[in-house]
Amino acid sequence: MDEMRPPAHSTRILETLAAIERKLLWLSAWTIHNANNIRPNPSAEKIGGHQASCASVTSIMTALYFDALRPQDRVAVKPHASPVLHAIHYLLGRQSREKLENFRRFGGAQAYPSRTMDGAEIDFSTGSVGLGVAITSFSALIQDYVQAHGMTKPGMPRARNVAVAGDAELDEGNIYEALLEGWKHDVRDVWWVVDCNRQSLDSVMPDRQFGRFGGLFRDMGWRVLTLRYGRHLQETFSRPGGSSLRGWLDECPNSVYSALTFQGGAAWREALLLDMSKSRGVRAIIDPLSDAELARLMTNLAGHDLGTLTSAFVQAARSDQPVLFLAHTIKGNGLPLAGHKDNHAGLITTEQMDEFRNAMNIRPGHEWDRLEGLAQPDLVERVLREVPYAQPLFPAGRRLAAPVVTVPATLPCPRTAGRRMSTQAGFGEILSEIGRAQGESKALSQAIVTASPDVATSTNLTSWINRRSMFARRAQEDVFRKNKVASMVRKDMRPGGQHIELGIAEQSLFLLLGAAGLAHELYGARLLPVGTVYDPFVNRGHDALYYACYQDARFLLVSTPSGITLAAEGGQHQATNTPLLGIVQDKLATFEPAYCDELRILMRHAFEYMQKPDGSAVWLRLSNLALPQPARELNAEHVIAGAHWIVPPTPGAELVIAYQGPVAAEAEKAFVLVREEVPGAGLLAITSPNRLYANWRDAQRRRREGKKTRAHIEDILAPLAPGAALVTVLDGHPAAHSWLGAVRGQRVMALGPEHFGQSGTVAELYREYEMDCDAILDACAEALA
């Protein structure tokens, strides 16, 4: 344990902070109680909330928000402390009473902190445990990146990225993946403050678990400050018999400690006397104390001691070294359910709340008054106005802004027509040409930052990396080049590099993309992040991808190679569900081009769409199957909208073949044969079932509102006969296309793999999973019959 220096603040300041702390405890508990017991609830279901989890972290958040944090600092708060965070902003005048009264209600303050729903005061959404902690490390890395590239405004102070975490969050594997990446990239200015209340939803945490955390973090270059006992206990330990008392507390199992806390002073006395009745020094300490005084002494943990907490934060702020604070607390501290093993979702009864209100000097009917019950409200109000965190460093508020990067009308691109190329290779060449570009494309190339979980080479980022180098806080020479060893990839690492190298951890990729995709609002620097990953392993990182989208982070995800077209690799590398993920994932526009001319249109669209207020992140699903590239003119708007005709049908046509992605070649072969029998048939290229479906649903909603509108897919299918059949095929689950029949009530024969693949040739797998020319022809015959 690192030794703490004496408290940094005067008694008067600590007393004022203590008054704020008590007010936060009251407001957070009352907000939850009001939602469950006072507010009308038509459904009669439990609204929920976590009063005990709020109580355990109130002191920590008081010391942070009202003393340690600066305006530029960025904070992720553990999900279950959401009411405390809302109460903090309420005291600071940044949250409305109406929002608090409607906590967990439609239009009210959210159950868990949300950037998109709760507004500008929330730096990072939290809710999926562990991810909110880990993203602070990647946000610190992005801060290093934008500052090394000179992208921040002059005089912009460095932010500290702070996570207030529950101890159970340290069970999450993404925490340690982020920890390792942070060590590799030497991240600075990160604090993780762990609320060590030792209780989770189902259990009391094992005693020996906390002892392991310190070693893990120290090995990764972190400073570890274990804040276990408060000042009252520390003073008691210095008295005769105090060392014995400390030894007893050090060895007291977490489960026993929690139970004694709930039972109170008499139980504490009985347990101490049972074990140390012959210790005259211990008896001299505890005998003069009443049961209430003994209970207060034995529960005087550092995580509830404002003097210890503020001192620790002042001490840590002297260095930019990342710091882990293990702050021991009591779950439910100050509430009747403190220490009880079932208090995670427990709620204070109405009778208990009345007693709590009286103890807080709150008059009935004044529960929401900001300064109600405080002995010196004027002093507290003055302190609230002077809180460093709340000072107007940024005139526009906590959300910064950055100029939009101009995207050229067309992207620089090598000649593709007539070549056999895959969209994966086309992506690498287009990005490489952007990296080479000058003039109007220079701003675009400078804004792009790429990342990949150890698959940069196999996802065709090599040429881009060779042009733009890898990022590192300090320059590192390429040992292979130095020793004249030939290699495809130049491993030059420098502060000006534009590729961030990651290990094999897809969660880390999506957390990095999430942080980079918020850089314009966190640091005032516009980045256009591009992340590449094998398509099947989007599933492995989907929790973090979902999290990044929930925060409305802006980035371009390129997943490649995809589907059973990755034939020789076998079933585990042949994802079929990712087109469905693309349809259902909010805040993520998903495309799958078959050819490189479509890809170039969609990449340009992505870089522009990522920056629009009503835009989102973009996902391109690509393939490594080389196809002959056509020479043609495309309607870019239709490519972006999700579908365009390769061969338009004649009016009243009875049949359409529609394809998505690399199965284009099979569909085209089948179409040539079908046209001999059905001359008016059409051939449709689907570039995005996601965009088609979203636009169709939007058109339906608008029509219900009385507005005249048509969806793009409705216009596309309009020439067909009412009973026409659609035969669709993609290298993905056919349900991605099955919905098309609902647009005009037409029959759909949807082809695509529905089961795990296997090793083989592309032709063998296409035949086995009914995606080849013959399968398409059979489906056409059945549809026409």
Side-chain angles (χ1 to χ4, degrees):
M1 172 179 171
D2 289 10
E3 289 299 321
M4 302 307 306
R5 69 181 185 81
H9 296 309
S10 68
T11 300
R12 185 178 182 186
I13 291 176
L14 291 177
E15 288 175 349
T16 306
L17 289 176
I20 294 172
E21 173 193 28
R22 285 171 56 81
K23 192 65 186 177
L24 293 177
L25 179 62
W26 164 257
L27 284 171
S28 60
W30 176 254
T31 296
I32 297 170
H33 182 78
N34 176 75
N36 287 276
N37 297 282
I38 308 297
R39 193 174 71 201
N41 181 11
S43 67
E45 295 176 358
K46 178 181 175 181
I47 301 299
H50 299 273
Q51 290 170 324
S53 293
C54 290
S56 70
V57 80
T58 301
S59 307
I60 292 170
M61 292 180 66
T62 301
L64 280 171
Y65 277 90
F66 297 95
D67 188 70
L69 294 178
R70 305 159 302 173
Q72 70 269 27
D73 293 338
R74 301 297 179 178
V75 193
V77 172
K78 74 171 190 173
H80 295 149
S82 172
V84 182
L85 185 59
H86 295 315
I88 286 171
H89 292 141
Y90 180 58
L91 291 184
L92 294 175
R94 298 178 172 186
Q95 176 65 285
S96 69
R97 170 175 168 173
E98 180 185 10
K99 291 280 190 180
L100 289 184
E101 289 191 42
N102 288 295
F103 172 67
R104 288 186 172 228
R105 195 184 211 176
F106 185 76
Q110 294 296 295
Y112 309 123
S114 170
R115 281 181 58 85
T116 55
M117 303 297 177
D118 284 323
E121 301 308 313
I122 308 300
D123 298 318
F124 301 106
S125 300
T126 55
S128 184
V129 293
L131 296 177
V133 181
I135 198 172
T136 58
S137 181
F138 290 104
S139 178
L141 173 57
I142 291 302
Q143 175 173 234
D144 288 341
Y145 180 93
V146 296
Q147 290 193 337
H149 286 75
M151 301 177 76
T152 54
K153 296 176 182 178
M156 174 84 171
R158 277 186 67 85
R160 186 174 294 119
N161 280 271
V162 180
V164 179
D167 47 16
E169 291 193 82
L170 294 182
D171 287 343
E172 289 286 349
N174 63 74
I175 292 272
Y176 302 98
E177 292 173 351
L179 186 63
L180 183 59
E181 288 295 345
W183 170 76
K184 288 191 289 189
H185 291 281
D186 191 26
V187 298
R188 320 304 292 170
D189 291 311
V190 181
W191 286 2
W192 289 356
V193 187
V194 182
D195 170 20
C196 299
N197 61 41
R198 300 170 297 285
Q199 292 179 250
S200 60
L201 177 59
D202 290 333
S203 66
V204 177
M205 298 185 70
D207 303 88
R208 60 199 203 88
Q209 189 164 341
F210 287 103
R212 302 304 305 158
F213 293 146
L216 285 170
F217 279 78
R218 288 189 186 94
D219 287 346
M220 295 297 169
W222 286 54
R223 184 179 182 187
V224 178
L225 294 178
T226 300
L227 313 178
R228 184 158 190 176
Y229 300 117
R231 289 167 297 159
H232 194 181
L233 271 176
Q234 293 277 13
E235 292 166 0
T236 302
F237 294 155
S238 65
R239 294 171 53 186
S243 59
S244 298
L245 180 61
R246 176 167 190 159
W248 187 90
L249 279 170
D250 285 346
E251 297 300 321
C252 183
N254 288 334
S255 56
V256 173
Y257 186 90
S258 296
L260 292 173
T261 297
F262 178 74
Q263 292 172 306
W268 279 113
R269 192 181 308 278
E270 181 180 352
L272 289 168
L273 291 177
L274 181 65
D275 291 341
M276 293 186 291
S277 60
K278 296 181 180 180
S279 173
R280 298 170 67 181
V282 171
R283 293 294 300 264
I285 293 172
I286 68 174
D287 285 352
L289 301 177
S290 67
D291 286 349
E293 291 169 334
L294 179 59
R296 281 196 296 272
L297 173 65
M298 300 304 289
T299 57
N300 176 229
L301 299 184
H304 299 301
D305 190 299
L306 290 168
T308 302
L309 289 167
T310 55
S311 177
F313 295 147
V314 168
Q315 181 181 353
R318 294 172 175 172
S319 167
D320 64 0
Q321 182 181 9
V323 182
L324 175 72
F325 301 87
L326 294 172
H328 285 244
T329 62
I330 295 167
K331 194 160 188 172
N333 185 62
L335 301 179
L337 34 69
H340 195 286
K341 70 180 184 65
D342 299 331
N343 64 13
H344 181 81
L347 296 174
I348 298 174
T349 67
T350 298
E351 293 75 16
Q352 289 172 331
M353 182 56 74
D354 288 341
E355 293 177 6
F356 185 40
R357 174 171 44 210
N358 292 333
M360 288 289 186
N361 297 318
I362 305 290
R363 294 169 294 168
H366 293 265
E367 291 86 355
W368 296 108
D369 293 1
R370 287 176 63 251
L371 304 180
E372 174 73 8
L374 299 180
Q376 296 180 291
D378 293 340
L379 175 61
V380 172
E381 188 70 89
R382 186 171 72 248
V383 169
L384 293 175
R385 287 196 301 268
E386 297 172 354
V387 167
Y389 168 80
Q391 298 312 302
L393 177 63
F394 310 119
R398 291 190 61 76
R399 297 278 172 90
L400 306 185
V404 169
V405 175
T406 301
V407 181
T410 57
L411 295 184
C413 180
R415 182 186 64 82
T416 59
R419 297 170 60 188
R420 289 188 66 88
M421 288 184 67
S422 67
T423 49
Q424 176 179 300
F427 161 74
E429 291 197 18
I430 293 170
L431 195 61
S432 176
E433 290 301 310
I434 293 173
R436 182 207 300 269
Q438 297 296 318
E440 65 174 354
S441 297
K442 186 175 182 180
L444 173 63
S445 66
Q446 290 176 332
I448 292 173
V449 53
T450 61
S452 188
D454 203 45
V455 291
T457 302
S458 50
T459 54
N460 284 58
L461 284 178
T462 300
S463 184
W464 164 266
I465 295 171
N466 288 344
R467 291 194 192 284
R468 312 302 289 197
S469 299
M470 297 183 181
F471 171 74
R473 292 180 68 243
R474 287 177 289 276
Q476 302 172 37
E477 191 173 7
D478 185 341
V479 176
F480 275 71
R481 288 187 66 205
K482 179 181 179 181
N483 291 283
K484 297 182 172 57
V485 178
S487 174
M488 289 176 57
V489 185
R490 294 175 57 174
K491 297 283 286 188
D492 294 321
M493 305 189 77
R494 57 188 180 86
Q498 288 181 244
H499 175 76
I500 298 177
E501 189 175 52
L502 298 173
I504 310 174
E506 285 76 12
Q507 293 258 5
S508 293
L509 170 70
F510 292 123
L511 287 166
L512 175 66
L513 291 177
L518 296 174
H520 55 292
E521 294 186 343
L522 295 176
Y523 304 118
R526 178 77 64 177
L527 293 178
L528 299 177
V530 178
T532 65
V533 64
Y534 290 169
D535 184 68
F537 301 132
V538 171
N539 291 296
R540 187 181 290 167
H542 186 231
D543 188 21
L545 171 61
Y546 185 99
Y547 173 67
C549 293
Y550 180 67
Q551 302 205 82
D552 198 20
R554 306 302 181 86
F555 52 87
L556 173 59
L557 169 63
V558 178
S559 67
T560 183
S562 63
I564 66 171
T565 301
L566 188 61
E569 293 289 336
Q572 194 158 349
H573 279 197
Q574 299 169 354
T576 61
N577 69 317
T578 46
L580 295 175
L581 285 182
I583 292 176
V584 302
Q585 179 59 62
D586 191 21
K587 294 289 185 180
L588 186 64
T590 310
F591 301 91
E592 183 171 4
Y595 293 101
C596 293
D597 54 359
E598 296 168 329
L599 173 63
R600 183 165 63 151
I601 290 170
L602 294 173
M603 285 182 67
R604 187 206 171 274
H605 169 70
F607 290 131
E608 192 169 70
Y609 189 67
M610 288 157 56
Q611 303 181 74
K612 291 184 176 181
D614 59 347
S616 73
V618 179
W619 179 4
L620 299 178
R621 186 177 190 253
L622 306 183
S623 171
N624 65 347
L625 181 65
L627 299 176
Q629 299 297 305
R632 58 185 180 177
E633 293 293 327
L634 292 177
N635 184 321
E637 289 185 4
H638 286 191
V639 173
I640 294 166
H644 62 99
W645 287 112
I646 303 300
V647 179
T650 59
E654 297 287 343
L655 180 68
V656 166
I657 296 176
Y659 68 82
Q660 175 181 328
V663 294
E666 299 297 319
E668 290 162 355
K669 285 191 292 183
F671 181 73
V672 170
L673 298 174
V674 163
R675 286 278 279 193
E676 296 175 2
E677 302 293 330
V678 189
L683 180 63
L684 182 66
I686 296 177
T687 54
S688 176
N690 163 246
R691 295 293 85 193
L692 291 177
Y693 183 78
N695 178 242
W696 179 51
R697 292 283 290 146
D698 183 62
Q700 290 177 315
R701 280 188 290 270
R702 288 174 177 270
R703 286 195 288 265
R704 288 194 293 270
E705 296 168 357
K707 300 173 183 176
K708 292 184 178 181
T709 186
R710 284 170 62 88
H712 178 62
I713 189 60
E714 292 171 330
D715 289 335
I716 285 286
L717 299 180
L720 303 181
L726 309 178
V727 176
T728 70
V729 60
L730 77 160
D731 189 354
H733 199 285
H737 290 169
S738 296
W739 65 271
L740 288 167
V743 176
R744 298 178 74 241
Q746 289 164 319
R747 290 170 294 148
V748 173
M749 303 291 291
L751 303 178
E754 301 171 72
H755 305 288
F756 292 117
Q758 56 189 293
S759 295
T761 66
V762 172
E764 289 171 332
L765 297 189
Y766 278 13
R767 182 167 57 251
E768 172 68 20
Y769 295 94
E770 297 183 315
M771 298 163 54
D772 64 353
C773 176
D774 288 343
I776 296 170
L777 291 173
D778 289 343
C780 289
E782 183 179 351
L784 291 172

